[in-house]
Amino acid sequence: MGDGHKRWSACWCTSSSSSTKLLFFMFPLLVLYVFVILLGPETSNRSFITKPLSSFSSSSSSSSSSNKSFIPISHAKDSEVQVDLRSSVVDTVAYHKDKAYSVEAVVNSSFSPPLDVEVLPDQNMTKEQMLADSTSRYQEVNAMNESHALRMKPKREKSYSNLERLEAGLQRARAAIKNATRENQIQESEYVPIGPMYWDAKAFHRSYVEMEKIFKVFVYDEGEPPLFHDGPCKSIYSMEGNFLYGLEINTQFRTRDPERAHAYFLPFSVARMVHYVYVRDSHDFGPIKKTVVDYINLVAGRYSYWNRSLGSDHFMVACHDWGPETSFSTPYLHKNSIRALCNANTSEKFNPTKDVSIPEINLLTGTINGFVGGPSPSGRSILAFFAGGVHGPIRPILLEHWEDKDEDIKVYKYLPKGISYYEMLRKSKYCICPSGYEVASPRIVEAIYTGCVPVLISDHYVFPFSDVLNWKSFSVEVPVSEIPNLKRILMSISSRQYIRMQRRVVQIRRHFEFNSPPKRFDVFHMILHSIWLRRLNVRISVDQR
């Protein structure tokens, strides 16, 4: 008993001593474990991954505790993946520079770069199987991460193309012009359009201001003078060259970036083509038309803008009588494009809704100095005046009825020597402006410059800027059939009405004056404004080709 007791006592002491040693050994580990639990995963470099028991296979459940099965992230659905720090299934999911994320952090993150995945291999796998399995797992994790990143990616606002932004700006301008009639007119120190000379002075003023704010024109750089980027500036076709030159040097409306442009200018001169390309007396328009076709094909091939709109936001300017004929070179040019023409003849397919009538100004000296101004109505002793050759179908009728027939109506085929043409304009109350072979006549602008009320005799003519100006308020329209009754028509106008018309002529004169450099509301800006109005009538779709 004693020996047994001693042995038992020795064993107990040995066991107690061992237990004490074991307790001293386990206590620090236990403290460390509790410390880790309290601090949570932020102090750990690892993520603890578990899978619900129901999802384990029989092979995984039978695995030994020393060889736990790895549960790949990509094999579990989002709802099946959860964080459990009590699990002993451990893996490290590293992202760049060994920065660890828990599975929850990986699944709910919004980052899109692929994850670097460290896989714990099955010890029973061959090297080839391990490599294949590792590759497969990497691809699955990467695919899941990218899919989740797309789901979590915040919705972006729709991006708009340059064309959509331009069209939106034009739409705002349309709305502003439409509302202008109901609003107070913009006040300016320089000039404010007002009076019956305008169909709607407020709308015109608002439209002009909107043009100044946003309108941009791109001038194609292709082509060399004299046929392109050049034109006559000292002839009856002067507006062709002067407008082209004015736009070339303009810094307000011209843009060098075609993506910012609302309209595109085709800078060819019909007058120059007639001089350099046309074979005199050949009646063959072929060379001129071929030049225009080649030019349009050139710019359409280098840029996308012609084909995008089929030419509807492009424009040409021509003061030569053959301007309309030249535009027939290609169907889209005369059907879709904006044609700014002096020869605005509706019988020759001029379309007022898309084309622009521009004034014909005969600038013999290249300037209007000395040609503008005249006396008041009381200083005008001649009732009506005209001087010009037999040109077209209307003038022979005028000459037949009034040449040397009446002292009050001075009609000449050739002005007598010693009599100044412009002095006769200044002395006359009314200036007769019949069309020649073509509808346009420089006599209209000459009358306006000198303060003489124009008497318009023409067929199929759309008067310049008639989308803005009410010509009936400051001119007299006489049908061709009423030429024999010309004096009676003019005499029936009361002195009071004549004075009103004459004053209105002086008021609207600024819109026909040529200035170098151009000034606000002058003829250059009025032509541009007419083009601007036609561009407002066009809506180009992003998908249009």
Side-chain angles (χ1 to χ4, degrees):
M1 289 289 295
D3 291 339
H5 176 75
K6 289 179 181 179
R7 284 195 296 271
W8 178 85
S9 178
C11 287
W12 183 90
C13 291
T14 302
S15 175
S16 176
S17 176
S18 299
S19 299
T20 302
K21 292 179 180 180
L22 180 61
L23 180 62
F24 285 130
F25 177 75
M26 290 297 295
F27 182 75
L29 294 177
L30 182 63
V31 172
L32 179 62
Y33 183 75
V34 173
F35 182 72
V36 170
I37 291 176
L38 292 176
L39 291 181
E42 293 181 357
T43 62
S44 175
N45 288 332
R46 295 181 183 273
S47 298
F48 299 86
I49 308 172
T50 186
K51 189 174 183 180
L53 293 177
S54 60
S55 64
F56 277 97
S57 63
S58 58
S59 59
S60 61
S61 62
S62 62
S63 300
S64 63
S65 60
S66 62
N67 187 21
K68 305 275 184 187
S69 295
F70 172 70
I71 313 300
I73 299 174
S74 60
H75 286 183
K77 296 180 181 179
D78 291 350
S79 60
E80 295 175 339
V81 179
Q82 51 185 290
V83 176
D84 188 350
L85 295 177
R86 293 167 296 179
S87 173
S88 60
V89 181
V90 179
D91 186 33
T92 300
V93 181
Y95 173 67
H96 295 297
K97 298 184 180 180
D98 299 327
K99 183 178 180 181
Y101 289 85
S102 67
V103 176
E104 186 178 33
V106 172
V107 172
N108 294 328
S109 67
S110 60
F111 59 80
S112 58
L115 294 173
D116 297 328
V117 180
E118 180 184 354
V119 179
L120 297 180
D122 189 338
Q123 299 298 324
N124 297 322
M125 288 184 178
T126 65
K127 291 183 178 181
E128 290 78 8
Q129 290 173 331
M130 290 170 60
L131 179 62
D133 185 66
S134 176
T135 302
S136 175
R137 292 167 189 251
Y138 174 84
Q139 292 174 345
E140 290 172 346
V141 172
N142 187 35
M144 189 193 76
N145 180 64
E146 291 182 352
S147 175
H148 181 72
L150 288 175
R151 292 197 306 271
M152 299 300 295
K153 188 175 183 180
K155 293 183 179 180
R156 295 180 178 177
E157 294 185 1
K158 179 183 176 182
S159 60
Y160 295 95
S161 66
N162 288 330
L163 180 58
E164 288 175 314
R165 292 189 182 93
L166 291 174
E167 288 296 327
L170 293 177
Q171 182 57 36
R172 288 191 292 271
R174 294 184 193 104
I177 296 169
K178 184 177 180 180
N179 294 330
T181 303
R182 298 190 296 270
E183 298 175 350
N184 293 330
Q185 192 164 10
I186 300 173
Q187 296 301 314
E188 297 186 31
S189 58
E190 183 180 349
Y191 178 72
V192 176
I194 191 171
M197 307 85 70
Y198 304 99
W199 293 113
D200 190 329
K202 288 184 178 180
F204 165 54
H205 194 193
R206 169 60 72 176
S207 176
Y208 188 92
V209 170
E210 292 295 324
M211 176 190 75
E212 289 184 313
K213 285 166 53 178
I214 71 171
F215 194 38
K216 297 297 179 185
V217 176
F218 179 74
V219 182
Y220 287 110
D221 291 330
E222 287 70 20
E224 298 294 335
L227 303 185
F228 305 94
H229 305 277
D230 189 22
C233 295
K234 295 181 180 181
S235 73
I236 197 173
Y237 311 123
S238 62
M239 281 317 303
E240 190 173 300
N242 282 310
F243 178 84
L244 195 155
Y245 178 72
L247 191 56
E248 289 268 5
I249 64 173
N250 188 273
T251 58
Q252 179 180 5
F253 298 104
R254 183 180 180 181
T255 176
R256 299 285 180 175
D257 181 3
E259 287 293 310
R260 297 182 59 212
H262 301 90
Y264 301 84
F265 181 39
L266 301 167
F268 58 77
S269 169
V270 176
R272 291 289 196 237
M273 290 182 187
V274 173
H275 181 74
Y276 289 101
V277 177
Y278 175 72
V279 178
R280 189 176 180 84
D281 298 327
S282 67
H283 305 289
D284 181 12
F285 291 100
I288 295 177
K289 291 184 176 182
K290 186 177 185 305
T291 302
V292 174
V293 170
D294 289 345
Y295 187 75
I296 292 178
N297 287 339
L298 175 65
V299 297
R302 291 185 179 179
Y303 306 89
S304 62
Y305 310 106
W306 176 272
N307 292 328
R308 180 181 69 181
S309 66
L310 299 181
S312 59
D313 54 357
H314 288 59
F315 68 95
M316 60 171 284
V317 175
C319 232
H320 196 278
D321 295 345
W322 294 349
E325 186 67 30
T326 301
S327 71
F328 298 150
S329 303
T330 176
Y332 293 135
L333 183 58
H334 77 85
K335 287 183 179 180
N336 295 346
S337 297
I338 302 168
R339 301 179 301 162
L341 305 173
C342 286
N343 188 15
N345 191 338
T346 57
S347 68
E348 296 181 2
K349 299 183 179 180
F350 181 89
N351 182 358
T353 61
K354 78 167 191 66
D355 296 327
V356 172
S357 175
I358 63 177
E360 191 171 80
I361 305 176
N362 191 6
L363 291 177
L364 297 178
T365 64
T367 178
I368 62 174
N369 294 336
F371 299 104
V372 176
S376 64
S378 59
R380 298 175 181 268
S381 58
I382 301 174
L383 178 64
F385 166 71
F386 169 80
V390 180
H391 190 260
I394 297 177
R395 294 182 188 179
I397 301 174
L398 179 64
L399 292 168
E400 177 185 354
H401 285 88
W402 296 105
E403 184 180 19
D404 297 327
K405 298 292 195 311
D406 195 295
E407 287 297 320
D408 294 325
I409 298 181
K410 304 290 186 180
V411 174
Y412 303 95
K413 183 184 299 182
Y414 300 106
L415 196 62
K417 291 183 179 181
I419 298 179
S420 168
Y421 176 73
Y422 278 92
E423 284 302 316
M424 291 296 292
L425 294 175
R426 292 185 178 95
K427 291 179 180 180
S428 302
K429 295 180 179 179
Y430 300 95
C431 292
I432 304 171
C433 307
S435 294
Y437 284 114
E438 301 298 343
V439 292
S441 171
R443 287 171 176 78
I444 297 175
V445 175
E446 291 168 349
I448 293 174
Y449 278 1
T450 55
C452 185
V453 176
V455 178
L456 309 173
I457 307 176
S458 62
D459 288 325
H460 314 294
Y461 184 37
V462 178
F463 302 121
F465 315 138
S466 54
D467 42 18
V468 169
L469 298 178
N470 176 14
W471 281 79
K472 292 182 178 181
S473 70
F474 59 87
S475 67
V476 180
E477 295 183 45
V478 177
V480 175
S481 60
E482 291 295 316
I483 289 178
N485 300 319
L486 182 59
K487 184 174 182 179
R488 181 180 59 81
I489 293 172
L490 297 179
M491 291 296 292
S492 65
I493 299 174
S494 66
S495 297
R496 186 175 181 180
Q497 178 63 17
Y498 161 71
I499 291 173
R500 281 197 294 260
M501 286 194 295
Q502 198 274 338
R503 288 176 178 174
R504 292 166 186 169
V505 168
V506 175
Q507 285 180 278
I508 58 94
R509 183 166 61 199
R510 69 173 60 242
H511 301 316
F512 295 86
E513 292 179 354
F514 166 75
N515 298 292
S516 183
K519 298 179 181 179
R520 295 185 74 215
F521 292 102
D522 69 0
V523 67
F524 171 83
H525 288 93
M526 290 297 289
I527 294 174
L528 199 64
H529 178 260
S530 294
I531 295 169
W532 154 256
L533 287 181
R534 292 348 183 250
R535 178 60 180 90
L536 286 176
N537 288 336
V538 176
R539 290 175 173 82
I540 301 173
S541 171
V542 175
D543 296 328
Q544 189 172 350
R545 294 292 184 266

